[in-house]
Amino acid sequence: MFKGILIEKDDAGYRAGVQDIDESQLPDGDVTVRVSHSTLNYKDGLAITGKGPVVRKFPMVPGIDLAGIVEDSAHPDYKRGDAVLLNGWGVGEGHWGGLAQKARLQGKWLVPMPASFTPQQAMSIGTAGYTAMLCVLALERHGVKPSDGEIVVTGAAGGVGSVAIAILAKLGYTVVAVSGRHEEANYLKGLGATDVLERAQFASPGKPLGKERWAGAVDVVGSHTLANICATTKYRGVVTACGLAGGMDLPASVAPFILRGVTLVGIDSVMCPTPDRLEAWRRLGADLDIAKLGTISQEIGLSEVVPYAVKLMNGEVKGRIVVDVNR
């Protein structure tokens, strides 16, 4: 038996809580992992609270991230005792995830734990930080340099935004944070933002084109915010889009793309190919100031996950939430 968060949906309703789970209930997979740490992400919050149609079958253990030690393996790349991590691949949605003390998974989904991080540090980064790194890599791949001008980061006080600011600042970019939480301005500047702008000025319908300002962007919001960011991006600037906290719609015009040559790059972290994952984690080891992880993250126990999911959905949590599944 092991403990985990279990989401159930039946005639009695939709509910999530800590339960004792028998190992025989674990889904099929060729690697069994003794989990030490997981995380609480926005997607996990949607799943646990039922505020979004994230879970595709029930019962479900949520948790799109995990770090732990291989307990049993039939996969050629992993053996008992190996330290591993996982981000995405639909775990916590269609396959039991990381918010439990054990997980059975496909070995092809795993990544060896980078030597530069402890499991706790790796989960302080988690899917949010790995996604932020994918955004930075996309900006670099499309030729955006620190000398080109300001990079705007929306949803800045969240997990993706926090890590993106820290990475970009260390790489020498001038970073402007956009947040609806003015009280977090000092936190964001501590991560490396040179300025903090109010979310409200981006959240309403705007003009097809605005004054050029941004050389690049990391957007986790979508909807009007993404449209306004595109409309104010410089000639041949690059906007990376990786989230939908403000909505799935994109009420924009083609003007920024055909008149200014703006590039809009979609960032998918869930099904991202393994070579790209390995490169993202390698770069995180090189380009993220580990000392800032203590500022970015907080740790909770498994019993605190459900109430924290509610706080996350209410916008009451900043940075990253690491879950020690053994407390």
Side-chain angles (χ1 to χ4, degrees):
M1 301 290 287
F2 61 93
K3 292 190 179 297
I5 303 291
L6 201 64
I7 302 173
E8 297 174 290
K9 183 181 181 181
D10 51 31
D11 292 342
Y14 190 104
R15 59 196 180 278
V18 179
Q19 292 194 29
D20 289 319
I21 302 170
D22 192 282
E23 191 167 342
S24 64
Q25 295 177 258
L26 285 169
D28 292 338
D30 54 12
V31 180
T32 302
V33 176
R34 170 66 69 176
V35 180
S36 65
H37 295 81
S38 184
T39 65
L40 182 62
N41 292 278
Y42 186 78
K43 187 179 286 185
D44 302 318
L46 289 171
I48 291 166
T49 62
K51 290 189 175 181
V54 171
V55 179
R56 297 197 292 271
K57 61 181 180 180
F58 299 89
M60 177 59 59
V61 173
I64 65 174
D65 291 325
L66 65 83
I69 302 295
V70 173
E71 193 172 80
D72 185 60
S73 175
H75 191 280
D77 291 346
Y78 298 100
K79 64 184 185 302
R80 184 180 176 89
D82 285 348
V84 295
L85 61 83
L86 179 143
N87 312 112
W89 293 116
V91 299
E93 303 172 68
H95 188 98
W96 282 19
L99 282 167
Q101 293 171 330
K102 281 194 179 185
R104 185 169 292 138
L105 311 147
Q106 299 298 323
K108 63 183 179 181
W109 298 340
L110 300 172
V111 171
M113 180 68 65
S116 50
F117 300 122
T118 66
Q120 196 275 347
Q121 289 170 336
M123 291 296 95
S124 293
I125 297 165
T127 287
Y130 144 69
T131 302
M133 191 74 243
L134 291 176
C135 291
V136 173
L137 290 171
L139 292 173
E140 292 180 341
R141 187 168 63 248
H142 286 84
V144 180
K145 303 179 296 297
S147 59
D148 292 336
E150 296 173 312
I151 309 296
V152 62
V153 177
T154 67
V160 175
S162 295
V163 179
I165 291 168
I167 295 170
L168 289 164
K170 186 177 179 184
L171 291 172
Y173 290 89
T174 301
V175 187
V176 176
V178 175
S179 177
R181 292 182 265 174
H182 184 70
E183 68 276 10
E184 303 296 354
N186 289 336
Y187 162 75
L188 296 169
K189 289 180 179 178
L191 294 177
T194 58
D195 195 11
V196 180
L197 303 180
E198 286 285 345
R199 178 178 60 195
Q201 63 184 280
F202 296 88
S204 300
K207 298 177 180 179
L209 283 176
K211 184 179 179 181
E212 295 179 53
R213 179 167 182 180
W214 317 115
V218 174
D219 177 66
V220 304
V221 179
S223 194
H224 293 295
T225 295
L226 178 55
N228 287 323
I229 293 295
C230 291
T232 51
T233 295
K234 289 182 176 181
Y235 183 74
R236 290 205 166 182
V238 179
V239 178
T240 60
C242 64
L244 45 68
M248 289 188 68
D249 60 326
L250 181 55
S253 80
V254 299
F257 312 112
I258 65 173
L259 298 179
R260 291 182 180 165
V262 169
T263 297
L264 178 59
V265 184
I267 303 297
D268 165 55
S269 62
V270 176
M271 306 303 291
C272 182
T274 297
D276 292 347
R277 292 171 182 265
L278 292 171
E279 175 61 10
W281 279 101
R282 185 191 71 80
R283 286 289 303 275
L284 283 161
D287 298 325
L288 177 62
D289 184 353
I290 293 178
K292 289 185 177 178
L293 288 177
T295 302
I296 292 171
S297 65
Q298 59 180 303
E299 186 176 286
I300 64 173
L302 200 60
S303 63
E304 301 171 271
V305 166
V306 173
Y308 262 81
V310 176
K311 290 182 180 181
L312 183 62
M313 291 295 94
N314 291 337
E316 298 170 3
V317 175
K318 71 178 180 182
R320 302 280 298 126
I321 304 173
V322 178
V323 181
D324 180 343
V325 300
N326 295 305
R327 72 172 180 88

